[in-house]
């Protein structure tokens, strides 16, 4: 509350300074950050500074606050190349290529080990200390060399992390979270409040590999160009096109360094020709061809200035009012393939404005060594052009009028203010260790974040109130109030622990807290139901309550521990939202154990001598006759239940074969876009409009929340390394949805407008998707094994373990089966993704709770009634715990229905799976776990008699 107050003041200050109420302007960001920085060390509350108070509070995650979540992959092959002394080594590049193939096929994260293994297979006698002479010590064996290289790669990734941190800080992001992940070369960035998403993506991907090249007039290699053109035309295996055929204008003059102008569509074909063995053989070895970074835009009036006017006019007309973007290819001169000047040459860089030229530029100051080399280069190229190249793209190629001393230089190029600022930022922050790719990218718009906060806390509040009413309605006002007091303390302690950990609260975290509340009620229900049994047995209230707590303890302990085990598995194998859910769930379960077993008992003891206490019955008119003296023959129905289970399994297997499963982008790779309209839309019509524009890629459109909001999913170019794919997809969406969004600008559609257009976007690359899928399978298998082993250790009976395993396996299988049968039928996403796996694991933990309580009662009754048959013992135990089983399921379903109806679309699929899981899990306890345990125990008894 304290930090929110000052953050609101910072927003008011930023609006007053910038005049921008949307928060999109750069001046708004600067003013907001300036205000926060100015009060960071001021005392704001009880002697704490703002910075300290911020650390003591519970922050909001991106799904509640809005912003970007990006996972970057630093190229490990590029890092190895930069470390290697591999010039003339015939095995190094082939080993890299083979390692690339293995990693792509297996989706492995251990690139260094695979590379070393492939290199060793190519060169059995090779010495890694020769190839990596600065890293690997002479005499190190292969295992030590691999570990050394892994550490060096990790250090260089850490260097890249620091470079990114500098860039993000200079960009003006408040409280970013930047961390290295366990996977080789992966870096996670959480950037709250960011709105200029495309600009941030470009800033993150820039390697800052700055190089200075001399240039080469086209006349010097005109003969080679002619030979290449003729060779391509004469090649019967080709399409008969020469290199020049892909350009709008080609080699305009012998003195120019411009090879030609081409459209973006033809750049890939040109690059493929120039990268071919034929081109490398024919063209000069000291020639490097590079594209200018910024395209020229041709309008209709420009057509007469280029060749092939008729074709060009048609292309410009097809491009629309925005004009046709064309790129210029420049000829650079190398020295044995290297630039005239490269490396970490920049000491400082800043964006400036030239009033004379009315344009922005970047001013650079070089290091002392670079300044001397730069002086020699410019002195040798007077009246010639020198190209300034960043990440293999030409930013400017100015004409040198005189020798430049002192290391001062500038980059011009028709930059906008933001472009000049970002370029200076990239140069100043330093060079990345290697090329960086965005492999996962999630954007949450601020309005969607506000909606998530509303939905999350609304579901939280309603669930809490309903739970309180539920407890008082079924167990009486006083027991209900005491249980509710435990719930209030549960919330208080949970948020206190989250604050002490400086945790970030997410929508899935809120779901974890709400579910933990339902499980806290479970413990109270178990105690109260047990106390009711003791009262019916003729004990006075004090003795009944004491025995109720004592006899329920082991069941509560077992149930909570199994849920914690599940939560730990989620924490270890989950990512992002799943970790948030697991964290709050584990904390909530531990706190609920304390509040239910100790705190509520303490309150009862305080009022033990009052009349009201002695009049307690732990029942009401509504519940007094519920589940009393039940005598259902559960085991007698085992043949029927097994037949129904087998029939269901057959149906599900048939569904798997015919329909399969709808995989979310977490597991398949792809992009999701949540788009808000100002009117109701038809998803089938939208899909029909979009599908032809995505060139055969998969496209799905589903309604979320209401019929004015949809989620568009596609795997279009998910494997592509092309630049600007995200912008291309945004343009396709803008074009395809034009009939629905009217005159809205593309900028408003993609980023700026908080009420209409793209509210959020998510990208998951195939590598990340494979990692998630593998981790999910491992997590489920580990959870099943953990439950089996825990029951075996706890009850020391293989029959109980096999019964529990059969029940949880059937429950998990049933949920997956329902998702196969019902996806596309129900009006919300039913996809197999990370949140679905989280639901499966949570259900496994919850279902074990039911089973443990029943088996605990079976074990107790075996001691109380040793002469009773195992058949009757199980039926007795099932009937005596039936009230608890139904009541705990009902209380948990109450919570889940609140989250499902009010919690928003982001976790709707999760809660739907949980609802099914609770229902199926309860039935599985009654009709799968105990019958299987009975059959196994019977078989053991028969074998013992033999």
């Amino acid at each position: 509350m304290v930090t929110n107050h000052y953050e609101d003041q910072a927003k008011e200050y930023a609006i007053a300074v910038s005049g921008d109420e949307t928060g999109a302007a750069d001046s708004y960001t600067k003013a907001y950050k300036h205000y926060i920085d100015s009060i960071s060390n001021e005392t704001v509350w009880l002697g704490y500074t703002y910075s300290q108070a911020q650390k003591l509070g519970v922050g909001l995650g991106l799904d509640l606050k809005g912003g970007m979540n990006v996972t970057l992959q630093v190229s490990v092959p590029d890092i190895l190349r930069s470390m290697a002394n591999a010039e003339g080594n015939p095995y190094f590049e082939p080993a890299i290529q083979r390692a690339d193939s293995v990693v792509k096929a297996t989706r492995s994260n251990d690139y260094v080990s695979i590379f070393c293994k492939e290199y060793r297979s190519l060169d059995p006698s090779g010495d890694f200390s020769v190839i990596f002479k600065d890293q690997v010590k002479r005499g190190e064996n292969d295992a030590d060399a691999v570990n050394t290289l892994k550490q060096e790669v990790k250090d260089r990734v850490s260097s890249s992390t620091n470079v990114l941190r500098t860039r993000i800080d200079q960009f003006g992001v408040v409280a970013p979270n930047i961390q290295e992940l366990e996977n080789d070369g992966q870096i996670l960035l959480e950037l709250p409040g960011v709105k200029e998403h495309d600009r941030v993506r470009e800033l993150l991907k820039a390697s800052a590999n700055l190089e200075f090249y001399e240039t080469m007039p086209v006349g010097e290699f005109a003969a080679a160009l002619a030979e290449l053109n003729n060779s391509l035309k004469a090649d019967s295996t080709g399409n008969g096109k020469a290199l020049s055929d892909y350009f709008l204008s080609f080699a305009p003059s012998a003195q120019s360094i411009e090879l030609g102008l081409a459209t973006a569509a033809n750049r890939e074909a040109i690059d493929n020709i120039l990268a071919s063995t034929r081109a490398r053989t024919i063209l000069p070895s000291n020639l490097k061809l590079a594209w200018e970074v910024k395209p020229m835009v041709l309008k209709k009036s420009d057509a007469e200035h280029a060749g092939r006017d008729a074709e060009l006019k048609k292309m410009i007309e097809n491009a629309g009012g925005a004009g046709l973007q064309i790129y210029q290819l420049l000829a650079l001169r190398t020295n044995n393939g290297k630039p005239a000047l490269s490396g970490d040459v920049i000491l400082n860089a800043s964006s400036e404005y030239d009033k004379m030229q009315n344009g922005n530029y970047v001013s650079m100051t070089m290091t002392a060594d670079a300044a001397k080399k730069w002086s020699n280069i410019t002195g040798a190229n007077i009246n010639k052009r020198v190209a300034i190249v960043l990440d293999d793209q030409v930013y400017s190629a100015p004409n040198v009028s005189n020798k430049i001393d002192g290391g001062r230089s500038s980059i011009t190029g028709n930059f906008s203010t933001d472009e000049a600022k970002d370029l200076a930022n990239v140069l100043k922050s330093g060079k990345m260790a290697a090329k960086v790719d965005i492999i996962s990218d999630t954007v949450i718009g601020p309005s969607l974040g506000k909606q998530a906060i509303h939905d999350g806390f609304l579901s939280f509040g309603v669930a809490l109130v309903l739970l309180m009413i539920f407890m008082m309605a079924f167990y009486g006002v006083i027991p209900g109030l005491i249980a509710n007091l435990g719930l209030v303390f549960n919330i208080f302690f949970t948020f206190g622990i989250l604050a002490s950990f400086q945790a970030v609260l997410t929508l899935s975290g809120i779901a974890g807290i709400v579910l933990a509340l339902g499980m806290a009620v479970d413990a109270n229900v178990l105690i109260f139901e047990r106390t009711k049994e003791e009262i019916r047995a003729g004990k006075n209230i004090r003795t009944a309550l004491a025995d109720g707590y004592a006899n329920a303890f082991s069941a509560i302990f077992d149930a909570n521990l199994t849920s914690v085990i599940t939560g730990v598995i989620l924490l270890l194998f989950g990512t992002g939202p799943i970790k948030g859910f697991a964290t709050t769930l584990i904390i909530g379960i531990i706190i609920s154990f304390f509040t239910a077993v100790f705190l509520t008992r303490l309150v009862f003891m305080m009022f033990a001598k009052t009349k009201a206490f002695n009049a307690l019955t732990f029942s009401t008119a509504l519940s007094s006759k519920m589940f009393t003296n039940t005598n259902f023959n559960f085991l007698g129905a085992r043949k029927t239940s097994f037949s129904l289970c087998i029939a269901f399994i057959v149906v599900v297997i048939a569904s798997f074969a015919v329909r399969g499963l709808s995989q979310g982008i977490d597991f398949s790779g792809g992009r999701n876009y949540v788009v808000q309209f100002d009117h109701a839309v038809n998803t089938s019509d939208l899909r029909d409009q979009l599908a032809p524009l995505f060139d055969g890629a998969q496209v799905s459109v589903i309604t979320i929340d209401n019929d004015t909001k949809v989620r568009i999913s596609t795997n279009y170019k998910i494997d592509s390394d092309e630049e600007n794919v995200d912008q291309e997809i945004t343009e396709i969406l803008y074009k395809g949805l034009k009939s629905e969004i009217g005159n809205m600008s593309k900028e408003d559609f993609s980023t700026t407008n908080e009420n209409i257009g793209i509210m959020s976007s998510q990208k998951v690359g195939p590598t990340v998707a494979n990692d998630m899928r593998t981790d999910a399978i491992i997590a489920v298998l580990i959870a099943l094994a953990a439950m089996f082993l825990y029951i075996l250790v706890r009850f020391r009976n293989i029959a109980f373990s096999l019964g529990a395993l059969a029940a949880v396996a059937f429950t998990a299988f049933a949920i997956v089966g329902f998702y196969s049968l019902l996806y596309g039928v129900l009006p919300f996403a039913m996809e197999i993704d990370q949140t679905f796996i989280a639901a499966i694991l949570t259900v496994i933990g919850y279902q074990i709770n039911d089973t443990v309580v029943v088996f605990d009662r079976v074990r107790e009754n075996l001691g109380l009634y040793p002469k009773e048959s195992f058949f009757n013992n199980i039926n007795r135990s099932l009937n005596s715990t039936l009230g608890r089983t139904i009541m705990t399921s009902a209380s948990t379903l109450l919570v889940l229905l609140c989250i499902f109806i009010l919690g928003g679309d982001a976790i709707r699929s999760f809660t739907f799976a949980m609802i099914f899981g609770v229902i199926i899990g309860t039935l599985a306890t009654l009709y799968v776990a105990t019958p299987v345990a009975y059959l196994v125990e019977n078989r053991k008894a028969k074998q013992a008699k033999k």
Side-chain angles (χ1 to χ4, degrees):
M1 292 175 65
V2 173
T3 54
N4 284 342
H5 169 72
Y6 285 96
E7 285 167 7
D8 288 340
Q9 288 187 352
K11 291 176 184 176
E12 293 173 5
Y13 172 79
I15 292 171
V17 170
S18 66
D20 173 36
E21 294 187 1
T22 67
D26 187 50
S27 55
Y28 176 97
T29 303
K30 285 183 176 178
Y32 182 89
K33 190 171 187 297
H34 171 74
Y35 188 93
I36 293 296
D37 290 343
S38 68
I39 64 168
S40 61
N41 294 318
E42 288 186 8
T43 301
V44 295
W45 181 71
L46 297 180
Y48 291 104
T49 65
Y50 171 82
S51 180
Q52 291 170 327
Q54 191 177 41
K55 291 178 181 179
L56 291 172
V58 178
L60 296 179
L62 294 187
D63 55 355
L64 299 179
K65 193 173 184 179
M68 289 184 74
N69 182 308
V70 181
T71 302
L72 301 175
Q73 176 69 63
V74 182
S75 174
V76 178
D78 283 357
I79 294 178
L80 292 176
R81 287 188 182 102
S82 69
M83 296 191 300
N85 179 34
E87 190 172 346
N89 187 317
Y91 305 113
F92 184 81
E93 277 303 323
I96 288 284
Q97 292 169 10
R98 288 172 66 166
D100 286 342
S101 299
V102 172
V103 168
K104 189 173 183 179
T106 63
R107 305 294 189 188
S108 171
N109 296 316
D110 193 357
Y111 191 97
V112 174
S113 296
I114 292 172
F115 163 78
C116 291
K117 180 181 178 181
E118 294 300 326
Y119 186 90
R120 178 60 68 222
S121 69
L122 291 171
D123 185 11
S125 60
D127 189 346
F128 285 119
S129 66
V130 174
I131 306 167
F132 301 100
K133 62 179 183 179
D134 295 329
Q135 290 81 28
V136 179
K137 296 178 181 177
R138 188 177 296 277
E140 279 192 12
N141 59 38
D142 283 4
D144 290 338
V146 168
N147 290 332
T148 300
L149 291 175
K150 282 184 178 181
Q151 185 58 50
E152 185 65 29
V153 167
K154 186 176 181 180
D155 291 343
R156 298 200 179 202
V157 172
S158 296
S159 172
S160 295
T161 305
N162 292 331
V163 170
L164 289 169
R165 185 171 282 109
T166 302
R167 291 183 188 177
I168 292 301
D169 287 343
Q170 292 173 354
F171 187 81
V173 179
V174 178
N177 175 33
I178 304 174
Q179 57 180 297
E180 295 170 39
L181 301 179
E182 293 181 4
N183 295 347
D184 278 356
Q186 290 187 8
I187 303 171
L188 172 69
L189 297 95
E190 292 181 334
L191 311 174
V194 166
K195 296 181 180 179
E196 298 166 285
H197 311 128
D198 290 337
R199 184 180 166 195
V200 170
R201 291 187 187 102
E202 294 303 316
L203 186 69
L204 296 177
K205 289 190 294 184
S207 297
N209 184 25
L210 183 65
E211 299 169 322
F212 298 82
Y213 285 89
E214 296 177 308
T215 57
M216 182 185 295
V218 172
E220 288 192 27
F221 58 98
L225 282 176
E227 181 183 348
L228 179 59
N229 274 332
N230 293 333
S231 175
L232 289 168
K233 285 183 177 179
D235 186 357
S236 60
T237 62
N239 56 12
K241 278 189 173 185
L243 176 65
S244 56
D245 292 330
Y246 292 95
F247 287 88
L248 294 172
S249 66
F250 187 73
S253 72
Q255 290 76 35
S256 74
I257 66 169
E258 290 86 7
L259 180 61
L261 295 169
T263 62
N266 283 341
R267 276 182 58 171
E268 184 177 357
I270 294 169
D271 289 339
N272 289 338
I273 291 174
L274 295 176
S276 66
T277 304
R278 176 181 309 181
R280 293 200 305 269
T281 303
I282 296 173
L283 296 176
S285 60
N286 64 337
L287 171 67
K288 177 183 176 72
L289 295 167
W291 297 98
E292 282 194 329
V293 65
K294 292 199 72 173
M296 293 186 289
V297 180
L298 291 183
K299 306 286 186 179
K300 289 183 180 180
S301 59
D302 298 314
E304 60 190 44
H305 300 298
R308 285 178 265 174
D309 286 0
E311 183 181 346
L312 186 59
K313 285 179 181 177
K314 185 177 180 181
M315 294 173 70
I316 292 173
E317 288 173 0
N318 291 338
L324 179 67
Q325 290 187 340
I326 58 172
Y327 291 83
Q328 192 159 236
L329 189 63
L330 303 184
L332 314 180
R333 189 189 304 276
T334 70
N335 180 16
N336 293 325
K338 296 181 180 179
L341 177 62
S342 65
D344 295 325
V345 300
I346 301 303
L347 193 63
N348 196 12
S350 60
S351 58
E352 308 288 350
Y353 184 78
D354 187 342
K355 293 182 180 179
M356 298 292 291
Q357 298 295 326
N358 194 31
N360 298 286
Y361 68 96
V362 176
S363 175
M364 302 180 295
T365 303
M366 297 181 176
T367 62
D369 289 341
K372 293 177 184 177
K373 293 178 182 178
W374 183 236
S375 176
N376 293 334
I377 292 168
T378 53
N381 285 275
I382 294 174
N383 295 323
K384 296 179 183 178
R385 294 171 69 180
V386 175
I388 302 173
V389 180
L390 182 68
D391 296 340
D392 282 332
Q393 293 182 303
V394 179
Y395 274 72
S396 63
N399 190 66
V400 179
S401 56
N402 50 56
K403 183 178 181 180
I404 302 175
D405 294 317
R408 295 283 298 179
S409 187
S410 62
I411 304 177
T412 59
N414 192 29
F415 299 125
S416 68
T417 302
D418 285 342
E419 288 170 339
K421 177 185 174 184
D422 290 344
L423 178 55
N425 181 356
V426 167
L427 293 173
K428 187 163 54 176
S429 61
K431 182 179 177 181
M432 296 285 282
K435 183 183 77 168
V436 172
D437 293 316
I438 295 176
I439 58 174
S440 175
D441 177 4
T442 301
V443 174
I444 304 293
S447 61
L448 207 60
K450 292 175 185 175
Q451 184 65 39
I453 293 175
H454 174 270
D455 293 343
F457 282 102
L458 178 63
S459 65
F460 175 81
V462 172
L464 182 61
V465 170
L466 289 179
L467 280 176
M468 289 180 171
I469 295 172
F470 177 88
M471 292 303 291
M472 289 189 290
F474 282 91
Y475 296 105
V477 174
I478 293 176
L481 285 174
I482 293 174
N484 294 338
L485 180 67
L487 291 181
V488 172
F489 274 102
N490 188 302
I491 297 167
F492 178 77
F493 289 141
T494 298
F495 276 96
I497 292 173
L498 289 174
S500 66
F501 286 160
Q502 298 179 24
V504 174
L505 186 64
T506 63
L507 187 59
S508 57
I510 294 175
I513 293 173
V514 176
L515 188 59
L517 288 179
M519 298 176 87
V521 170
D522 186 6
N524 288 123
V525 167
L526 193 60
I527 292 168
F528 292 173
E529 287 291 331
R530 194 58 192 257
T531 301
K532 283 168 65 175
E533 288 183 39
E534 303 298 338
I535 292 173
R536 285 197 292 266
K539 296 179 182 178
N540 64 53
I541 184 64
R542 294 184 66 177
T543 305
L545 192 61
D547 289 346
Y549 272 94
N551 293 329
F553 180 85
S554 63
I556 295 172
F557 179 83
D558 288 335
N560 280 272
L561 186 56
T562 52
S563 296
V564 168
I565 291 171
T566 304
V568 170
I569 294 170
L570 281 171
L571 201 61
L572 292 175
F573 291 93
T575 59
I578 306 307
K579 285 184 181 290
F581 169 78
T583 300
T584 55
L585 182 65
I586 291 170
I587 292 171
I589 289 170
I590 295 172
I591 295 300
S592 71
F593 181 77
F594 169 75
T595 55
V597 173
F598 297 105
L599 192 61
T600 58
R601 185 173 188 174
L602 187 64
V603 176
F604 277 119
M605 288 174 62
M606 288 174 59
F607 296 98
K609 295 182 179 180
T610 63
K611 290 183 179 180
F613 176 85
N614 289 310
L616 292 179
T617 61
F618 289 90
S619 62
T620 64
L622 180 64
S623 63
S624 59
K625 295 182 179 179
M626 288 178 65
F627 311 114
T628 57
N629 302 318
T630 57
N631 191 28
F632 296 112
N633 186 5
F634 290 103
L635 281 185
R638 63 185 182 277
K639 290 183 180 180
T640 303
S641 63
F642 283 165
S643 298
L644 291 173
C645 289
I646 292 169
F648 177 75
I649 290 170
V650 170
V651 171
V652 169
I653 291 173
S655 180
F656 287 160
V658 177
R659 287 172 54 82
L661 293 164
S662 175
Q663 289 193 58
I665 67 168
D666 285 2
F667 292 166
S668 63
R671 291 175 172 86
N672 281 339
Y673 296 87
V674 174
V675 182
Q676 175 71 60
F677 298 91
D678 60 0
H679 61 278
V681 292
N682 184 287
T683 54
S684 297
D685 292 344
L686 293 184
R687 190 193 177 283
D688 291 342
Q689 292 169 214
L690 292 170
L693 303 177
F694 280 105
D695 194 24
Q698 295 177 10
V699 180
S700 71
V701 183
I702 62 171
T703 300
I704 57 174
D705 286 344
N706 56 66
D707 55 8
T708 67
K709 187 187 293 183
V710 301
R711 195 198 70 193
I712 301 168
S713 303
T714 180
N715 61 353
Y716 179 73
K717 289 189 176 181
I718 193 60
D719 290 310
S720 174
D721 293 327
E722 294 177 29
E723 295 287 330
N724 304 323
V725 173
D726 291 302
Q727 292 91 322
E728 179 186 349
I729 295 176
T730 301
E731 289 175 5
I732 291 174
L733 292 175
Y734 178 70
K735 182 179 178 181
L737 301 175
K738 188 68 177 173
S739 61
E740 302 290 345
I741 59 178
N743 296 324
M744 186 181 213
S745 70
K746 188 171 72 174
E747 182 183 9
D748 277 350
F749 174 75
S750 60
T751 57
T752 307
N753 195 300
E754 294 187 8
N755 301 311
I756 304 174
I758 296 177
M759 296 287 103
S760 73
S761 65
Q762 180 186 17
K763 170 194 171 185
V764 177
T767 302
V768 176
N770 186 77
D771 293 344
M772 288 183 178
R773 186 167 57 247
T774 302
D775 286 348
I777 294 170
I778 293 172
V780 172
L781 294 177
I782 290 177
L784 292 174
M787 296 302 104
F788 175 83
L789 291 174
Y790 180 79
I791 298 296
L792 183 61
V793 170
R794 191 75 177 89
F795 293 94
R796 300 182 184 279
N797 190 325
I798 191 68
F800 288 170
S801 288
L802 290 174
L805 182 63
V808 295
F810 176 78
T811 302
F813 179 82
I815 300 171
V816 177
F818 276 119
Y819 269 60
S820 175
L821 290 165
L822 299 177
Y823 82 83
V825 177
L826 297 179
F828 52 87
M830 295 190 69
E831 297 172 335
I832 308 301
D833 56 14
Q834 276 275 87
T835 55
F836 175 80
I837 296 300
I840 290 284
L841 293 173
T842 309
V843 165
I844 287 174
Y846 183 84
Q847 200 276 331
I848 281 290
N849 291 359
D850 275 345
T851 305
V852 163
V853 171
V854 172
F855 285 170
D856 188 72
R857 184 61 65 89
V858 171
R859 180 176 56 183
E860 181 182 335
N861 286 339
L862 284 172
L864 294 174
Y865 311 103
K867 294 183 179 180
E868 190 170 42
S869 69
F870 195 56
F871 182 96
N872 290 335
N873 194 309
I874 288 180
N875 268 335
R876 176 196 290 271
S877 301
L878 285 170
N879 280 283
S880 61
T881 57
L882 186 61
R884 179 265 169 199
T885 299
I886 300 300
M887 294 301 289
T888 53
S889 296
S891 63
T892 306
L893 283 173
L894 189 67
V895 171
L896 290 171
L897 286 170
C898 289
I899 304 175
F900 179 76
I901 296 168
L902 303 172
D905 180 73
I907 53 176
R908 185 156 288 134
S909 179
F910 168 85
T911 49
F912 185 75
M914 282 292 299
I915 289 169
F916 259 114
V918 169
I919 295 171
I920 298 299
T922 302
L923 294 174
T925 295
L926 298 172
Y927 295 107
V928 178
T930 47
V932 169
Y934 168 74
L935 292 175
V936 173
E937 188 66 21
N938 251 12
R939 186 178 179 84
K940 283 169 56 182
K942 288 179 181 178
Q943 289 178 342
K945 288 180 180 179
K946 291 180 181 180

